[in-house]
Amino acid sequence: MIDFAPAGFHLLRPWWLLALPVVAWLAWKWRGRNAAGAWERVVDPALRAHLLEPAAARGARWRAWGAWLAAVLALLALAGPSWRREAQPLWEAKAPLVVAFDLSPAMLAADLPPSRLARARAKLATLLRERRGGEVGLLVYADGAYTVAPLTDDAANVAVFLDALAPDIMPGAPGEADAAAAIDRAAQLLRQAGFDRGDVLLVSGSAMPASAATAAAQAARAGYRVSVLDAVPAAAGAAAGGTGAGAVAAAGGGRRAALAGDDGDLAALGVLEAATAGAAGREREGGASWRDDGYWLLLPLLVLAAFAFRRNGAIAVLALCLLVPWRPAAAAGVDWWRRADQQAHQRMEQGAKAYRAGDYAAAARAWQGVPGADAEYNRGNALARQGRYEDAIAAYDAALRARPGMADAIANRKAVQAAMKRRPPGGKGDRDPSGDKGDREKPQDAEPGQRDGQQAQERAEAAEQAQRERAAARARAGDRGTPQDGRMQESQAEHERRLANQAKLQRVPDDPGGLLRERLRLEYERRRAEGE
């Protein structure tokens, strides 16, 4: 959006005005050099009136003045007059952070009252609440590492899972904490998200083997700094011969801090404020810059340039300009006033707005043809929402070709494939386009284990989404003002929507620990089936 502010008129490149005296001197120097003046020096004064035409002399003077005016307009345009601001996509160079949380049985030790787990979980809540800038992701690890929340710039989406973090959600038999696997998994998340710089924070309540230092050194070479928040008390660590946390942090180019009762440990680790990420970054909307409006001076400059042509040439040029539309490509959706990356950013924003409004067809059209894995992934989501599963899978495949190993695209592609298997022959999707709620699809016959796994995964995903909606509703309710009588003011449509959402959420069991446990179990079984 452009902010018109005449009071802020200034020049972006004022040094071009230093050429004005030079142009003025040249105009004065050549003021008499015209077609008639050259002959006046050699023709006898008595014959000038009969040999020289006054109109030629006047035309030469007009051309000289026109050249002077054109030079002044060109210099003013180059000086960059500006009086408006417009929002610009800025380069967000904040380092992302992946937190690897230890959920091995050692975290249940009560040497840090009430337990290492409770203290570490409270510290993570503080980190998510106080951190400024940069994306945050969360994974948990014991004898294996599993993603809980991918990288996001909304820390509230990560905080939803805090109450569910406990060793009993980890799949398989209880085992020792594999910090090396956690570091490798964190580096993989950062790499899949397109970051070549970032931070990894191990929240550890166990001793670390030498393999963890090797993994940290490898992550540091890839551009990812590894730090450790050690939840093992000093006495317990000394009795065990040290935790190895310092060696891991040193190998990863990061810092080590002992879990403390205040925020001093987080400040010492430098994770409360996202650091500059160097080459890593994301383009995002923010800030405003002065717009260069010097191009408006090109219009009169073109008119003056037209009169420099031969006789009657100016009229032909002006007629041609009238026949050409002002923005010839506007109907085709092409903005000639923006660069290709700015056009792509604009279309991404348009698609996101349409998607949030529920207009999935418009969102898919906006993202069609926009380069990059994110655009193809978003388009696949919009197509899947319309029931166009084959097209959605093709879009996910395009996203994976652009960014191999993209976790979100892989997960959604599997979900769409499962939906295709459940769709009966000739089915149109989960719901009839006319909006009839009674016309639902029935699952096709499948093996019992496969059917149960799909249903469990669907329940987990649906309940997690419901849990996020509850958290978002609570956040909105906290931000919304209340009148003096203490009751919320809402429209009839908002009231009906709230009641419908409450009824829908009440049908979903509020068991975040069980839901996360089920999701991790499915991931564990998938890895075993694939031999990982």
Side-chain angles (χ1 to χ4, degrees):
M1 181 178 295
I2 299 175
D3 180 19
F4 185 81
F9 177 83
H10 67 287
L11 299 175
L12 300 178
R13 298 173 295 274
W15 295 107
W16 279 102
L17 298 185
L18 294 178
L20 284 176
V22 178
V23 174
W25 178 79
L26 291 175
W28 177 82
K29 186 72 173 177
W30 295 341
R31 68 188 185 285
R33 296 188 179 185
N34 50 56
W39 285 105
E40 287 179 353
R41 291 191 296 271
V42 296
V43 176
D44 188 86
L47 300 176
R48 290 177 186 171
H50 304 283
L51 297 178
L52 301 180
E53 296 182 3
R58 289 195 299 271
R61 285 193 294 271
W62 279 111
R63 285 193 295 273
W65 278 107
W68 155 253
L69 181 58
V72 172
L73 290 175
L75 290 175
L76 289 177
L78 290 171
S82 178
W83 59 87
R84 296 183 290 178
R85 286 181 178 271
E86 64 177 350
Q88 293 288 336
L90 302 180
W91 189 256
E92 177 72 9
K94 295 295 185 179
L97 172 67
V98 174
V99 179
F101 198 89
D102 184 358
L103 285 184
S104 65
M107 290 291 284
L108 298 176
D111 45 11
L112 285 179
S115 66
R116 297 180 187 178
L117 176 63
R119 294 283 292 273
R121 203 159 54 186
K123 185 64 63 175
L124 179 55
T126 301
L127 172 61
L128 296 176
R129 184 178 62 252
E130 300 296 335
R131 179 175 167 84
R132 296 293 178 266
E135 298 187 12
V136 182
L138 175 64
L139 63 87
V140 293
Y141 70 98
D143 57 345
Y146 300 88
T147 301
V148 174
L151 284 165
T152 175
D153 55 4
D154 188 357
N157 289 336
V158 182
V160 167
F161 300 99
L162 289 183
D163 293 338
L165 299 183
D168 61 359
I169 70 170
M170 300 301 291
E176 298 296 330
D178 190 350
I183 295 173
D184 292 339
R185 181 63 178 169
Q188 183 183 4
L189 286 179
L190 291 167
R191 187 165 50 251
Q192 289 177 349
F195 291 102
D196 56 7
R197 294 290 187 276
D199 287 322
V200 176
L201 176 62
L202 290 177
V203 181
S204 172
S206 310
M208 297 188 184
S211 58
T214 303
Q218 183 177 0
R221 288 192 295 269
Y224 308 125
R225 183 176 57 182
V226 180
S227 298
V228 181
L229 179 60
D230 197 355
V232 179
T243 65
V248 172
R255 306 172 185 176
R256 181 263 178 192
L259 186 65
D262 54 15
D263 295 346
D265 46 5
L266 298 178
L269 292 171
V271 294
L272 289 177
E273 185 74 24
T276 302
R282 292 289 184 85
E283 198 175 28
R284 58 175 294 183
E285 187 76 17
S289 64
W290 289 100
R291 178 170 180 171
D292 188 348
D293 288 300
Y295 63 90
W296 290 110
L297 296 175
L298 298 179
L299 299 178
L301 185 60
L302 290 175
V303 174
L304 291 174
F307 285 99
F309 290 91
R310 58 185 302 176
R311 184 176 300 178
N312 298 327
I315 299 177
V317 172
L318 291 177
L320 181 61
C321 292
L322 292 177
L323 293 176
V324 176
W326 175 243
R327 299 181 71 174
V334 179
D335 191 345
W336 287 53
W337 301 103
R338 295 179 184 268
R339 301 190 309 269
D341 60 330
Q342 293 175 329
Q343 295 179 26
H345 177 79
Q346 184 181 33
R347 291 176 60 185
M348 290 290 289
E349 291 293 325
Q350 292 173 351
K353 185 180 298 183
Y355 191 91
R356 287 192 292 266
D359 191 353
Y360 304 118
R365 288 193 299 270
W367 289 322
Q368 175 71 37
V370 178
D374 292 336
E376 293 293 345
Y377 168 75
N378 292 342
R379 190 170 68 89
N381 293 343
L383 293 170
R385 289 281 189 173
Q386 301 174 67
R388 299 169 55 184
Y389 295 149
E390 294 82 359
D391 296 335
I393 289 179
Y396 292 138
D397 290 338
L400 291 172
R401 285 194 298 270
R403 187 186 300 168
M406 187 177 185
D408 293 338
I410 294 174
N412 285 12
R413 189 181 189 279
K414 292 180 179 178
V416 171
Q417 286 180 327
M420 291 178 63
K421 294 178 180 178
R422 295 192 305 271
R423 182 165 57 184
K428 297 181 179 180
D430 292 338
R431 185 171 297 180
D432 186 82
S434 64
D436 185 4
K437 298 181 180 180
D439 184 15
R440 287 190 172 272
E441 296 181 346
K442 297 181 179 179
Q444 294 181 349
D445 292 337
E447 295 297 328
Q450 178 184 2
R451 183 170 60 249
D452 294 343
Q454 290 176 353
Q455 293 175 352
Q457 183 174 5
E458 291 170 17
R459 289 194 301 271
E461 293 175 352
E464 284 184 17
Q465 179 64 27
Q467 187 179 1
R468 292 192 183 96
E469 292 180 2
R470 289 193 191 96
R474 288 195 296 268
R476 288 194 298 269
D479 294 338
R480 188 181 301 173
T482 57
Q484 293 180 355
D485 60 1
R487 294 178 300 176
M488 303 298 295
Q489 292 182 345
E490 57 183 359
S491 65
Q492 182 64 24
E494 291 176 340
H495 178 71
E496 294 177 355
R497 188 183 307 113
R498 179 172 58 81
L499 293 180
N501 290 337
Q502 289 178 353
K504 180 178 67 174
L505 295 178
Q506 288 173 358
R507 293 194 297 267
V508 180
D510 190 6
D511 183 13
L515 298 172
L516 185 57
R517 182 187 304 109
E518 183 66 18
R519 199 180 80 180
L520 298 184
R521 183 188 67 79
L522 293 173
E523 177 66 16
Y524 174 76
E525 293 179 355
R526 183 193 66 81
R527 293 184 184 182
R528 289 186 59 186
E530 296 178 358
E532 295 184 14

